[in-house]
Amino acid sequence: MALPNYIDLAIVGAGVQALTLTTHLLQKRAKYDHKFLVFDPSQTWLSQWQQQFAAQQIPSLRSPAVHHPDPNPHQLRTFAEHRHNELFPPYDK
Ligand SMILES: Cc1cc2nc3c(=O)[nH]c(=O)nc-3n(C[C@H](O)[C@H](O)[C@H](O)COP(=O)(O)OP(=O)(O)OC[C@H]3O[C@@H](n4cnc5c(N)ncnc54)[C@H](O)[C@@H]3O)c2cc1C
């Protein structure tokens, strides 16, 4: 990917914290879209998280209902409300 000559904001690392920050920025100001770049050697989101959970053989969080990257802790519940065939408990603990 060719890098632009100038960016407003560089986010180093594409982990949980960076994903939350990115979500927060885009929810606050849609105009931030295309104003920043996220740098990570894996070139994808949550690679370290995925590797660490795989190493510990943890398939899912036990209490994920409010522990997710969206700044709004209730957002996953709202998202899951009408998706009974895709998302089911234990997301709701
Ligand atoms: C087994 C396990 C269970 C956990 N359970 C929970 C839980 O239930 N609840 C909870 O809140 N927390 C839990 N944690 C902790 C949680 O995973 C971390 O607090 C969280 O991932 C930290 O987020 P982060 O974005 O700071 O770092 P990370 O998720 O580690 O992401 C850092 C990113 O930065 C990148 N990076 C590193 N160096 C550079 C560099 N020089 N340049 C560019 N990119 C770089 C890495 O590739 C990585 O993608 C758990 C952790 C483990 C291992």
Side-chain angles (χ1 to χ4, degrees):
M1 176 185 165
L3 293 176
N5 292 330
Y6 175 86
I7 52 172
D8 292 279
L9 178 64
I11 298 176
V12 179
V16 178
Q17 302 292 344
L19 184 56
T20 304
L21 173 64
T22 300
T23 308
H24 177 73
L25 288 173
L26 292 175
Q27 286 181 0
K28 280 281 180 199
R29 303 258 166 88
K31 68 178 184 182
Y32 284 154
D33 195 13
H34 303 299
K35 294 277 187 185
F36 60 87
L37 285 176
V38 181
F39 295 88
D40 195 294
S42 70
Q43 300 184 29
T44 188
W45 289 103
L46 304 180
S47 61
Q48 198 145 302
W49 166 276
Q50 302 282 12
Q51 285 168 13
Q52 289 174 332
F53 273 63
Q56 299 294 324
Q57 300 183 323
I58 301 173
S60 59
L61 292 175
R62 281 177 295 175
S63 305
V66 295
H67 299 123
H68 50 72
D70 197 292
N72 177 356
H74 304 295
Q75 192 56 39
L76 182 59
R77 276 207 181 92
T78 305
F79 179 79
E81 257 169 23
H82 304 293
R83 295 171 183 262
H84 302 292
N85 294 332
E86 300 169 68
L87 299 169
F88 45 87
Y91 84 82
D92 203 20
K93 285 186 181 164

